[in-house]
Amino acid sequence: MGVIGEKFKKNEVYVPDVLIAARAMNSGTELLKPLLVTSGAKAKGKVVLGTVKGDLHDIGKNLVRMMMEGKGLEVIDLGVDVPTEKFIETAIADNADIIACSALLTTTMMEMKNVVDKVNQSPLAGKVKIMIGGAPVTDNFRASIGADVYAPDAASAAEVALEICRG
Amino acid sequence: MNSYERIKAALSHKEADRVPVYPILCGITRKLVGATYKEWSTNAEICANAFIKSTELFDIDCVVTLIDLSVECDAWGQKLMYFENEAVRPDYSDCVVKSLEDYKKIIKTDYRKSKRMMMHMEVCQRLVKELKGKKPIIAFVFGPLGVLSMLRGQQDLFLDIYDDPDSVKAAVKEINETLKEYVAALCDTGVDAVMLDTLFASGSIMSKKMWIDLESEAVKELSEIISKKGCLTMVHNCGRNIYFDAQIEAMKPAAISFLYPPDDCEDFYECKRKYGDKTTLIGCVTPADATFGTDEEWDRQCIEQIDAMAEGGGFILATGCEYPANASFERAERMIEIAKTYGRYTNLKNKYAVLQA
């Protein structure tokens, strides 16, 4: 998936190609899982991922999950329409490194600010990085709400997430 | 000049009195008549009145009837979800196409049996009655591949393109047979143009080759019908790296409404140089920026778009996609004011002269 991610960033492969590659990778991973467990292989970091409250779009989020898993990160995918509290509870319970929020609508992207504000008021403040992305989201928007990272595409999201987890 | 003359000049690649402007005010117009999103998107009278009100309150130069992307899929019985303050969307947990086998269900249907398509038709009729000759009216139609994605869900559709491309292509063809009659009827209402949304002709989704293989022939047929009816074809595509060349080849659109520079251009200046004589450019202010940032940043974006693409006409200042439905109107008003002041061609000519000197 690392190779696919690079090609995706360079517009050499596209969303349908990534989905097919991810499906193949998942089939392979299912076969290898028992061996990985017995060998004690560890994830390189942990990400809590979801589409924010009020937003039911999931393809972008799913691409991010596929790319992150391809980088060896553990992803806890909360799905779509995720309340802020759920992001925070899960990140605390699972000791996550990153909370990654997706939104496709201008009507729901402001929910990301809510996530940032609530994280800052929680025990996670300063301990977890908040990553945002989605079609209407920009780096200017990230700066305006105080999130840590904006990722313009799924491959970049995975790369930056890995960097964060590596410290 | 009135809006008709101004838009006509832009489409003829001539400089009007000023840059025409349209901040794609659609769902937000519901606020002008005190309607919920559900009321606005299901009641033709409310919807048309809201659009008309927007032309009375704001100095916009045209109207685009973008209600939402779930209008056409209603013809195949797609279950939809309605909200008070958000656009209608399909219930993807209950898609019409649930498996590869289900593609057989997608056959040509009678658009007149679809409440939503007929509602859109009535909106166009009402707008023509009230605005014809005052503001150009542009009917908005989702392309056949887009409609299929609403009946299947995008992710599954993309996998199906690999698993069973023939079934996908057959369904696109059947949908298009319906859309051909639908766009012909929309043209008959007296609208000036039909804007086809070709969402998938974009590097953020699929390759150019794949789009050409899946949809270009279908949208070509639609544009030929629109042309035969004496209307103009326009294109909307707010994806990244969109395929101007392939879409111009297929549809010869009078205008393209877009948000990001095309796949073969570094920036909007290059887009103007490369495509400015082939089609009118509509855009490309980031709509989400209407909801945050400073007024100055917003104004600067509007001015940058004018600087990059207005010279010689062939440009309409607009947001690159629909203006946020829950934002305030304030930034839209600022954009309109910038078109009316900074965007006056007498002012711009002086600026061009200085730049050339």
Side-chain angles (χ1 to χ4, degrees):
Chain A
M1 283 307 287
V3 173
I4 288 288
E6 269 307 303
K7 285 178 180 275
F8 184 59
K9 264 181 82 174
K10 293 179 191 165
N11 281 317
E12 291 171 3
V13 299
Y14 301 87
V15 175
D17 315 300
V18 173
L19 292 171
I20 288 290
R23 190 171 68 179
M25 188 193 77
N26 285 342
S27 302
T29 312
E30 283 304 310
L31 287 172
L32 292 171
K33 233 176 208 171
L35 299 173
L36 292 171
V37 170
T38 52
S39 72
K42 275 190 174 175
K44 294 171 182 169
K46 203 177 276 186
V47 183
V48 173
L49 172 70
T51 306
V52 295
K53 188 171 164 48
D55 199 322
L56 301 174
H57 295 88
D58 67 352
I59 188 166
K61 169 190 70 65
N62 293 347
L63 287 168
V64 169
R65 185 191 70 229
M66 292 164 195
M67 293 290 181
M68 287 182 171
E69 287 176 344
K71 291 274 184 194
L73 297 165
E74 182 183 343
V75 181
I76 301 164
D77 187 346
L78 300 177
V80 298
D81 193 18
V82 180
T84 297
E85 294 72 22
K86 184 78 180 164
F87 279 110
I88 294 172
E89 284 164 17
T90 311
I92 291 172
D94 289 86
N95 198 23
D97 303 289
I98 298 168
I99 292 175
C101 305
S102 171
L104 191 87
L105 306 171
T106 54
T107 49
T108 55
M109 61 192 269
M110 291 313 290
E111 192 61 28
M112 291 170 163
K113 183 177 185 323
N114 201 21
V115 174
V116 172
D117 292 345
K118 290 275 170 61
V119 165
N120 286 339
Q121 294 159 17
S122 78
L124 292 171
K127 293 178 187 162
V128 71
K129 297 286 184 192
I130 302 173
M131 174 184 284
I132 62 169
V137 179
T138 62
D139 196 47
N140 283 344
F141 176 69
R142 176 205 61 76
S144 77
I145 65 168
D148 298 294
V149 183
Y150 157 69
D153 58 71
S156 306
E159 276 175 13
V160 178
L162 184 59
E163 277 174 30
I164 291 169
C165 293
R166 278 175 173 162
Chain B
M1 277 184 163
N2 64 25
S3 292
Y4 248 98
E5 294 163 335
R6 195 170 292 124
I7 295 279
K8 193 178 170 190
L11 294 172
S12 308
H13 299 264
K14 290 176 183 158
E15 291 182 351
D17 55 344
R18 63 163 170 82
V19 168
V21 63
Y22 183 53
I24 315 191
L25 301 175
C26 295
I28 192 173
T29 64
R30 76 193 190 282
K31 293 183 184 178
L32 303 175
V33 292
T36 64
Y37 225 119
K38 185 177 180 180
E39 289 163 345
W40 178 83
S41 53
T42 54
N43 183 314
E45 185 178 3
I46 289 173
C47 187
N49 285 345
F51 276 122
I52 292 163
K53 194 83 178 165
S54 71
T55 66
E56 292 166 357
L57 294 176
F58 307 108
D59 220 345
I60 51 179
D61 286 310
C62 60
V63 171
V64 177
T65 62
L66 166 53
I67 298 172
D68 54 69
L69 299 180
S70 306
V71 171
E72 295 83 2
C73 66
D74 176 58
W76 287 270
Q78 176 58 49
K79 188 178 173 188
L80 302 175
M81 299 164 81
Y82 293 87
F83 305 90
E84 190 169 334
N85 279 315
E86 284 175 41
V88 184
R89 55 182 176 247
D91 180 352
Y92 288 118
S93 69
D94 191 5
C95 286
V96 170
V97 181
K98 293 183 172 68
S99 66
L100 290 174
E101 272 297 300
D102 284 345
Y103 278 96
K104 288 180 191 149
K105 289 187 200 168
I106 308 301
I107 54 172
K108 182 189 173 189
T109 187
D110 184 350
Y111 74 85
R112 284 164 292 202
K113 289 181 186 167
S114 160
K115 275 187 184 171
R116 298 212 74 208
M117 286 162 107
M118 291 308 287
M119 177 263 181
H120 180 214
M121 194 80 65
E122 189 185 335
V123 169
C124 291
Q125 287 163 346
R126 286 173 178 272
L127 291 177
V128 167
K129 191 176 169 196
E130 288 297 319
L131 300 177
K132 189 75 179 177
K134 298 176 198 161
K135 305 280 179 189
I137 301 151
I138 302 159
F140 190 94
V141 174
F142 205 9
L145 193 55
V147 175
L148 185 57
S149 76
M150 304 309 247
L151 296 164
R152 174 58 165 151
Q154 286 191 10
Q155 191 164 323
D156 287 325
L157 174 66
F158 294 149
L159 291 168
D160 298 343
I161 288 169
Y162 271 95
D163 291 340
D164 190 355
D166 290 342
S167 290
V168 172
K169 285 179 195 174
V172 167
K173 194 168 167 45
E174 293 291 331
I175 290 169
N176 211 50
E177 289 303 309
T178 308
L179 293 184
K180 279 154 78 172
E181 293 182 355
Y182 178 54
V183 296
L186 284 169
C187 292
D188 288 341
T189 65
V191 297
D192 300 280
V194 176
M195 183 174 275
L196 301 173
D197 186 334
T198 53
L199 180 65
F200 297 103
S202 150
S204 54
I205 300 184
M206 62 176 57
S207 71
K208 194 177 291 183
K209 185 170 175 284
M210 185 180 274
W211 180 76
I212 290 170
D213 189 38
L214 290 170
E215 195 178 41
S216 72
E217 191 56 37
V219 289
K220 183 183 177 191
E221 289 177 359
L222 294 179
S223 71
E224 284 169 355
I225 287 169
I226 295 163
S227 176
K228 274 185 195 159
K229 287 285 182 181
C231 293
L232 297 173
T233 298
M234 296 183 180
V235 168
H236 173 75
N237 190 324
C238 55
R240 289 179 199 266
N241 301 317
I242 71 170
Y243 306 133
F244 259 55
D245 52 357
Q247 294 185 89
I248 289 172
E249 169 77 22
M251 293 171 277
K252 298 179 178 51
I256 299 181
S257 156
F258 62 117
L259 177 56
Y260 299 103
D263 70 317
D264 52 358
C265 296
E266 280 295 313
D267 55 28
F268 294 114
Y269 286 93
E270 190 180 350
C271 179
K272 176 71 173 179
R273 284 197 298 276
K274 210 166 195 169
Y275 294 106
D277 62 341
K278 295 179 179 65
T279 191
T280 289
L281 308 171
I282 306 177
C284 303
V285 175
T286 307
D289 289 355
T291 57
F292 67 91
T294 66
D295 287 342
E296 291 70 26
E297 286 165 346
W298 174 262
D299 294 354
R300 194 160 52 241
Q301 255 203 81
C302 295
I303 287 168
E304 281 169 2
Q305 297 298 324
I306 292 174
D307 287 350
M309 294 188 282
E311 189 172 5
F315 174 67
I316 298 168
L317 178 64
T319 43
C321 195
E322 183 183 358
Y323 190 86
N326 291 329
S328 91
F329 285 98
E330 201 180 311
R331 296 268 165 92
E333 288 178 295
R334 295 185 77 89
M335 175 187 279
I336 294 163
E337 195 54 31
I338 287 167
K340 290 169 74 175
T341 52
Y342 184 85
R344 292 205 74 80
Y345 273 105
T346 46
N347 295 346
L348 294 173
K349 272 191 193 315
N350 293 337
K351 182 168 179 161
Y352 299 145
V354 169
L355 285 173
Q356 279 166 9

